């Protein structure tokens, strides 16, 4: 299959070609790549694509996958609606929240 | 690797990378940027990257306006392959009482006198600009169509790549561990890979770590760092062009070109320090505040939250320049929540200062000495 048709990050629609293009341009740091391409920043937060990306970067750099630093997973761990969060805040009452606005 | 450089820059955020480029553009290409992590790992990669010209002091309007003009043509000027994503959807600054509105009117007058096309708007006009706004608590607003936000990663990378092309050496995962001073001069810097690099000048662009880095050179500066939290939602179709901000609540809310909303809020009870953990209290608090003004956002799902550090001085304005009695040491630090939006212009000015060129504007009021002289800067429109 063509590199341009191999989707690596489903959430953000990033292909193998996009990843290799970054590597070619000299960006071979998973953290920098994630931020430039948004791969790993979608609703699944990289659960699907991160291993694939790390594999690709590792083989480009000629290092073992085990030797690579895993990017941090950021909360929340399941997407949650703003409305629910605001309700929780209001239920607790302003006093418990310790602020005025 | 080179063991000597004309200039050592400590910090690979917007300030370090942009100043490296501006120095190189002035012909000073013998520059090394040291970044202890990856580029943008500090505040820059964690920020909202909002750019607003709507300030209350001439100096800030000029720094922000200058930066805005630089960003407008940065893709072309730096010949960047990607896109810095500068999206000029404007900033709507909300007023909730008459005294706020009064101050905003004065600000707009000043801004207009400096070329910034801001204007005061009625509650009805505000609702035309942002149709999903809850007009009930509002008394008015100001709007500047040239304001907006950019992508902080791409902006920094664009500068870094252009600087590299001009010969600048950018070393990531390399921490400066000490600055060596001899008499009243800088001798060089030590790094964690046990190298000593002698240099003519040092620029402290270490963001939240500006205090510890200044101490390496024996310089004490009145700064501290403070956590600020931020979150992003899933992407949806674009329906909010402007950044909406409320000084009253301390929040800002933007929809990126990618479709996700970014929401941030300052917490007055946040302790000083370097903590960058995230809290669920923040998510609930920011949701509550923003939904009181922008109710339809209730249905959006939060996909990620993170935090970063503001580096704060006693007047929440940066320290730009050197230190009396120590030659060749410079700093551009203490930007609070607005270092991205003044970054491009600040970098240009720092490069001019360090190379002894004529400067595009006077920034001598931002020197370190102002704290001793008691000449603190009173900016009414700081978040
Ligand atoms: C949540 C949040 C939202 C924000 N929103 C906005 C906004 O909308 N608009 C705006 O204009 N500003 C905003 N800001 C502020 C803005 O992020 C900062 O003012 C700006 O990024 C500062 O850039 P910098 O290059 O000085 O610092 P940084 O980006 O922090 O760069 C400093 C770098 O120095 C490195 N470093 C430190 N010590 C050493 C050492 N000893 N050796 C080597 N490297 C070292 C760090 O790793 C870091 O990468 C926000 C900040 C936060 C936290
Ligand atoms: S697949 Fe990449 S973020 Fe979900």
């Amino acid at each position: 299959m063509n590199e341009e048709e191999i989707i690596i990050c489903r959430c953000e629609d990033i292909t193998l070609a996009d990843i290799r293009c970054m590597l070619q341009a000299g960006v071979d740091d998973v953290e920098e790549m994630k931020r430039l391409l948004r791969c790993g920043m979608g609703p699944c937060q990289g659960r699907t694509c991160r291993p694939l990306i790390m594999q690709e970067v590792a083989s480009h750099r000629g290092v073992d996958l085990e030797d690579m630093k895993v990017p941090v997973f950021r909360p929340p761990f399941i997407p949650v609606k703003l409305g629910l969060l605001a309700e929780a805040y209001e239920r607790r009452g302003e006093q418990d929240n310790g602020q005025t606005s | 690797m080179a063991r000597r450089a004309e200039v050592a820059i400590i910090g690979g955020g917007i300030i370090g990378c942009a100043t490296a480029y501006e120095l190189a553009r002035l012909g000073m290409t013998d520059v090394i940027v040291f970044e202890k992590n990856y580029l943008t790992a500090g505040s820059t990669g964690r920020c909202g990257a909002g750019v607003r010209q709507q300030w209350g002091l001439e100096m800030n309007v000029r720094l922000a306006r200058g930066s805005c003009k630089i960003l407008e043509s940065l893709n072309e000027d730096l010949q960047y392959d990607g896109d810095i994503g500068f999206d000029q959807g404007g900033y709507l600054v909300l007023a909730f009482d008459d005294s706020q509105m009064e101050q905003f009117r004065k600000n707009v007058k000043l801004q207009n006198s400096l070329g910034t096309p801001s204007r005061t708007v009625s509650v009805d006009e505000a609702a035309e600009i942002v149709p999903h706004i809850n007009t009930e608590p509002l008394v008015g607003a100001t709007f500047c169509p040239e304001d907006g936000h950019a992508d902080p990663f791409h902006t920094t990378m664009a500068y870094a790549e252009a600087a590299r092309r001009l010969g600048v050496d950018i070393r990531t995962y390399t921490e400066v561990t000490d600055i060596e001073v001899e008499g009243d001069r800088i001798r060089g810097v030590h790094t964690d890979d046990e190298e000593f690099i002698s240099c003519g000048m040092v620029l402290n662009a270490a963001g939240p770590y500006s205090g510890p880095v200044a101490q390496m050179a024996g310089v004490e500066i009145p700064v501290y760092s403070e956590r600020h939290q931020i979150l992003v939602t899933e992407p949806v179709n674009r329906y909010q062009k402007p950044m909406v901000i409320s000084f009253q609540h301390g929040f800002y809310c933007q929809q990126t070109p990618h479709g996700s909303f970014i929401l941030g809020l300052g917490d007055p009870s946040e302790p000083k320090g370097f903590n960058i953990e995230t809290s669920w209290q923040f998510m609930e608090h920011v949701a509550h505040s923003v939904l009181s003004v922008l109710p339809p956002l209730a249905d959006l799902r939060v996909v990620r939250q993170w935090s970063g550090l503001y580096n704060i001085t006693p007047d929440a304005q940066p320290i730009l320049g050197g230190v009396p009695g120590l030659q060749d040491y410079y700093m551009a630090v203490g930007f609070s929540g607005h270092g991205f939006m003044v970054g491009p212009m600040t970098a240009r000015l720092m490069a001019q200062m360090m190379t002894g060129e004529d400067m595009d504007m006077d920034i001598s009021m931002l020197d370190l000495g102002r704290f001793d002289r008691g000449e603190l800067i009173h900016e009414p429109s700081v978040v």
Side-chain angles (χ1 to χ4, degrees), chain A residues 12 29 75 80 83 90 92 101, chain B residues 173 258 284-285 288 298 302 305:
Chain A
E12 296 290 336
D29 185 301
V80 45
E90 285 137 28
R92 270 211 321 281
S101 51
Chain B
Y173 300 101
H258 165 264
E284 296 184 356
H285 188 194
H288 163 79
V302 180
Q305 71 170 136

Side-chain angles (χ1 to χ4, degrees), chain A residues 12 29 31-32 35-36 38 41 45 74-76 79-83 85-86 88-90 92 99 101, chain B residues 38-39 153-154 157 173 258 267 278 280 284-285 287-289 291 297-298 300-306:
Chain A
E12 296 290 336
D29 185 301
E31 294 284 1
E32 287 177 6
R35 287 164 177 79
L36 293 172
R38 307 194 55 86
M41 289 191 169
Q45 285 298 290
R74 300 213 189 272
V80 45
K81 279 192 182 177
L82 283 172
L85 291 165
Y89 183 90
E90 285 137 28
R92 270 211 321 281
Q99 13 236 333
S101 51
Chain B
Y38 52 92
L39 296 180
F153 311 116
H154 281 282
M157 282 300 178
Y173 300 101
H258 165 264
D267 176 356
T278 53
W280 53 267
E284 296 184 356
H285 188 194
H288 163 79
S289 290
L291 294 185
L297 268 53
L300 297 177
R301 288 188 173 79
V302 180
V303 295
R304 186 167 66 252
Q305 71 170 136
W306 68 93

Side-chain angles (χ1 to χ4, degrees), chain B residues 26-92:
Chain B
L26 292 176
M28 174 79 77
T29 55
D30 186 14
V31 176
I32 307 179
V33 178
F34 296 98
E35 166 53 55
K36 66 176 171 183
N37 222 307
Y38 52 92
L39 296 180
T40 75
S43 312
T44 302
R46 298 163 182 277
C47 82
V51 178
R52 98 178 125 93
Q53 300 179 33
Q54 299 181 70
W55 287 90
L57 288 181
E58 172 168 347
M59 174 264 301
N60 276 327
V61 177
R62 293 181 59 172
L63 283 174
R65 180 166 174 74
S67 298
C68 188
K69 294 291 146 195
I70 293 173
L71 290 170
E72 281 174 1
S73 61
L74 199 66
N75 279 331
E76 297 78 45
D77 294 343
L78 300 183
Q79 298 176 333
Y80 187 50
D81 276 343
D83 180 4
I84 66 156
F86 189 34
D87 188 72
Q88 292 175 285
Y91 249 68
L92 188 68

